[in-house]
């Protein structure tokens, strides 16, 4: 019975489908910018939390990785991580974060000053935390 109705009235179905598309806004298709920003913020906080797991007592046990993506290209900042964590897993999460920020920039048409950010020259330990020296 149901299939017979669909076969007899394809124009009606097409009409309702088109009506539903017209009633959707661009945001319905793209999602919410604030939700995307929150997801990025959560990922960044997770990375910082992982970095903070190890106290900085010996600067030679720490490395620096670029993080984020400016709309014009290049990193938006840098984060230090200890070699005493699962560095491979940490760097994978940084890559996920960077790719999500690149996608966010494209999706929402972001722009920036396009200034190149100079990376840190070294790391020192201060009060158990790594300090990036520029």
């Amino acid at each position: 019975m149901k299939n017979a109705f669909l076969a007899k009235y394809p124009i009606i179905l097409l009409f309702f489908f088109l009506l539903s598309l017209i009633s959707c806004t661009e945001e319905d298709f793209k999602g919410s910018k604030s939700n995307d920003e929150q997801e990025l913020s959560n990922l960044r906080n997770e990375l910082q939390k992982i970095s903070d797991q190890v106290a900085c007592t010996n600067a030679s046990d720490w490395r620096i990785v670029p993080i984020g993506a400016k709309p014009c290209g290049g990193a938006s900042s840098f984060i230090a991580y200890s070699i005493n964590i699962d560095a491979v897993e940490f760097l994978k999460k940084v890559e996920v974060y960077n790719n999500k920020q690149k996608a966010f920039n494209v999706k929402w048409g972001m722009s920036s000053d396009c200034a190149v950010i100079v990376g840190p020259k070294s790391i020192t330990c201060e009060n158990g935390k790594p300090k990036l020296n520029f």
Side-chain angles (χ1 to χ4, degrees), residues 34-103:
S34 62
N35 287 346
D36 291 349
E37 289 170 330
Q38 186 63 50
E39 180 183 8
L40 283 171
S41 178
N42 291 344
L43 288 170
R44 180 68 167 92
N45 291 339
E46 179 183 350
L47 290 167
Q48 191 62 55
K49 185 177 178 182
I50 294 169
S51 175
D52 292 343
Q53 286 178 347
V54 177
C56 186
T57 56
N58 182 356
S60 65
D61 289 342
W62 289 78
R63 304 292 181 266
I64 303 165
V65 64
I67 189 168
K70 293 181 82 170
C72 293
S76 56
S77 64
F78 297 86
I79 189 170
Y81 66 96
S82 172
I83 60 172
N84 297 315
I85 64 168
D86 184 347
V88 172
E89 189 62 30
F90 180 78
L91 293 173
K92 284 181 186 177
K93 289 182 185 224
V94 168
E95 185 177 354
V96 166
Y97 175 81
N98 292 347
N99 288 335
K100 285 187 179 277
Q101 188 160 47
K102 286 176 191 172

Side-chain angles (χ1 to χ4, degrees), residues 69-76 105 109-118:
K70 293 181 82 170
C72 293
S76 56
N105 292 341
M110 303 303 289
S111 62
S112 72
D113 59 10
C114 298
V116 175
I117 297 178
V118 178

